[in-house]
Amino acid sequence: MLTAEQYVQSLIAWNASSESLGSDAASETRCVAVIGAGLMGTAIAAANVQTGIPVILVDVCDELLATAKRRVAAEIAFNEQILPQTAVDRLLQPTADESRVAECDLVIESIPENPALKQPLYARLEPRLSAGAILVSNTSTIPIGKLAAGLADPSRFCGLHFFHPVRRRPLVEVIRGAKTAAETVASAARYARQIGKMPIVVDDGPGFLVNRLLMPYLNSALELLLDGVSIEAVERAATNFGMAMGPLRLIDEIGLETAMLAGKVLWQAFPDRVAPSPLLVAMYKAKRMGRKAKTGFFAYPEGLSLDQPGLADPSVQPVIDAWRRGSLDLPDEAIVRRLLDPMVLEARRILDEQTVSDPRAIDLATLFGLGFPRSRGGLLYWAESAGPFSTNV
Ligand code: NAD
């Protein structure tokens, strides 16, 4: 058997050689429009600017437009890239004018996770696209076929799903809708490689690949809190195992609003095994919206850098206690199994349904999209070495 590191190296080589991924026949992207200057749009704009690709960044919020250059420059500085502010000023053009998508050969939509907002936007953008340009969505969960329903030419539309934090997660999912043309997939994958990302092509469906796997991990963390396990214990078990972030920190980072909107798509799609967590709803109602709002499961005082975790915040405990049903105390290993075993089950379902057909895609996705520890070789590699599910946790 390959060691974990040898196996990871083989996954990287497999991804680099995959056919249809970034074929050289697809032409290079010269100008990108990013629609939505929020958490993800800003990070995606930064990934382009630091590669030298000009970006037109569109938003409806004047305040976000006014701060866009500063936020993109901060993101780039954080990537330890040395890029003078003049380069950011030259390459990044924040604007409220959507008609400027006509200047670009790739348009990336990254507005809130709601088809009722995304579809009318596409109806306005599509007639303005230049010949040969493609439109992609950074949606986390909404099926591409559903988003494409009103398009005159769905062949030029696909998903291009980045992961938070973009600066730390090399993977992007390229989601092929039923009507997406092969050239569109190739262009999207080629572009991903151009900005230094690792594209993985997946079939359409709610949550695609990565968020189908993420959902049980986050949901299990919320269930552990309701069983009485402390925030600190959940986070410690996950990070000691090697996860880049504990699940509760990740919910804060993603943002409670996005987590709720994405969760809604998934619990509507898989009612047999996903239910809205009362705790997520309670956090939302308590306006603990996560890092962006400076309060969630943790507190985020001024002065924390982008990569610093939030601080423990006892004021969240009453929100949890209102729904808590036990006072369980579990060892780290049992917590890890409760977080990861449901992910393994979901991975098996994904393979059975052929959303992806090669188990290596699951390991690649967890390592490079979800911050799974490299020393563990990916979710399925780990599951094989960890043995059967424990029955007593
Ligand atoms: P966000 O709320 O931080 O940003 C959305 C931005 O869109 C806001 O700045 C808003 O003003 C702007 N907007 C709304 N309507 C608009 C319109 N018609 N035209 C232009 N701008 C408009 O949200 P986010 O977390 O960046 O998520 C954006 C998308 O990315 C969603 O589809 C989400 O599911 C997906 N996504 C999010 C994450 C994450 O971790 N948050 C990860 C991957 C993908």
Side-chain angles (χ1 to χ4, degrees):
M1 191 178 172
L2 296 178
T3 64
E5 184 53 31
Q6 286 166 336
Y7 176 65
V8 174
Q9 291 293 343
S10 77
L11 290 178
I12 295 169
W14 169 64
N15 179 259
S17 67
S18 293
E19 67 355 309
S20 89
L21 289 189
S23 106
D24 290 335
S27 53
E28 198 159 273
T29 298
R30 286 153 308 181
C31 176
V32 170
V34 177
I35 319 293
L39 177 76
M40 293 303 287
T42 304
I44 295 168
N48 282 278
V49 168
Q50 73 188 40
T51 328
I53 301 175
V55 179
I56 291 170
L57 181 59
V58 183
D59 205 290
V60 288
C61 171
D62 290 340
E63 196 187 326
L64 286 175
L65 289 172
T67 56
K69 285 192 174 175
R70 181 176 54 71
R71 289 181 295 119
V72 167
E75 182 86 22
I76 292 170
F78 209 78
N79 292 346
E80 287 155 22
Q81 296 275 328
I82 298 157
L83 201 66
Q85 182 70 39
T86 49
V88 178
D89 290 343
R90 182 169 48 81
L91 290 169
L92 184 75
Q93 297 180 52
T95 176
D97 180 4
E98 346 177 293
S99 72
R100 295 200 54 200
V101 297
E103 298 166 38
C104 298
D105 34 24
L106 173 66
V107 179
I108 304 175
E109 169 273 307
S110 191
I111 71 167
E113 188 72 346
N114 182 350
L117 294 177
K118 292 185 191 282
Q119 286 170 326
L121 173 69
Y122 302 163
R124 296 194 300 276
L125 295 181
E126 191 182 26
R128 298 188 152 129
L129 295 181
S130 66
I134 64 168
L135 174 64
V136 302
S137 175
N138 181 40
T139 175
S140 328
T141 50
I142 308 167
I144 291 306
K146 177 170 181 171
L147 290 178
L151 289 173
D153 183 2
S155 74
R156 292 162 70 192
F157 179 68
C158 70
L160 188 66
H161 181 205
F162 292 78
F163 300 96
H164 176 73
V166 174
R167 60 186 176 276
R168 297 267 178 263
R169 302 283 175 271
L171 197 84
V172 291
E173 272 178 311
V174 178
I175 301 119
R176 180 174 38 205
K179 296 186 176 162
T180 304
E183 302 81 63
T184 303
V185 171
S187 296
R190 166 83 158 91
Y191 159 74
R193 290 223 194 280
Q194 199 182 329
I195 59 166
K197 296 290 179 194
M198 187 185 266
I200 177 170
V201 177
V202 301
D203 279 340
D204 199 12
F208 321 120
L209 169 60
V210 177
N211 279 341
R212 283 274 301 272
L213 297 168
L214 179 62
M215 163 194 70
Y217 174 67
L218 299 184
N219 216 41
S220 300
L222 296 169
E223 287 298 300
L224 282 162
L225 295 187
L226 295 182
D227 282 343
V229 179
S230 69
I231 293 178
E232 191 207 348
V234 172
E235 298 293 282
R236 187 190 56 228
T239 51
N240 282 351
F241 176 80
M243 297 298 289
M245 267 182 216
L248 302 165
R249 177 177 168 200
L250 185 52
I251 293 176
D252 270 5
E253 295 274 346
I254 291 170
L256 269 288
E257 185 166 22
T258 298
M260 286 276 292
L261 290 167
K264 186 172 165 201
V265 174
L266 293 171
W267 66 67
Q268 284 175 346
F270 308 110
D272 56 321
R273 58 186 188 280
V274 192
S277 167
L279 180 52
L280 198 59
V281 178
M283 292 288 288
Y284 183 84
K285 285 192 179 156
K287 299 196 168 39
R288 304 188 76 104
M289 305 301 254
R291 185 166 197 133
K292 257 187 294 193
K294 302 197 183 311
T295 171
F297 287 102
F298 299 93
Y300 300 89
E302 285 303 332
L304 282 187
S305 82
L306 289 180
D307 255 3
Q308 267 180 304
L311 307 181
D313 182 358
S315 70
V316 71
Q317 199 53 45
V319 183
I320 299 169
D321 285 346
W323 292 93
R324 190 162 57 81
R325 57 191 167 227
S327 43
L328 206 58
D329 184 14
L330 291 175
D332 280 11
E333 197 195 331
I335 294 175
V336 167
R337 297 302 300 235
R338 279 204 42 181
L339 291 172
L340 299 188
D341 286 353
M343 284 177 94
V344 176
L345 277 178
E346 195 65 22
R348 303 256 180 252
R349 280 192 198 98
I350 288 169
L351 290 169
D352 288 348
E353 294 160 7
Q354 301 257 304
T355 298
V356 294
S357 51
D358 193 319
R360 288 177 293 183
I362 305 275
D363 284 330
L364 200 77
T366 48
L367 286 165
F368 298 109
L370 292 182
F372 200 86
R374 195 171 167 128
S375 60
R376 309 259 185 196
L379 182 70
L380 294 180
Y381 183 98
W382 166 78
E384 198 155 311
S385 55
F389 297 160
S390 174
T391 50
N392 60 356
V393 291

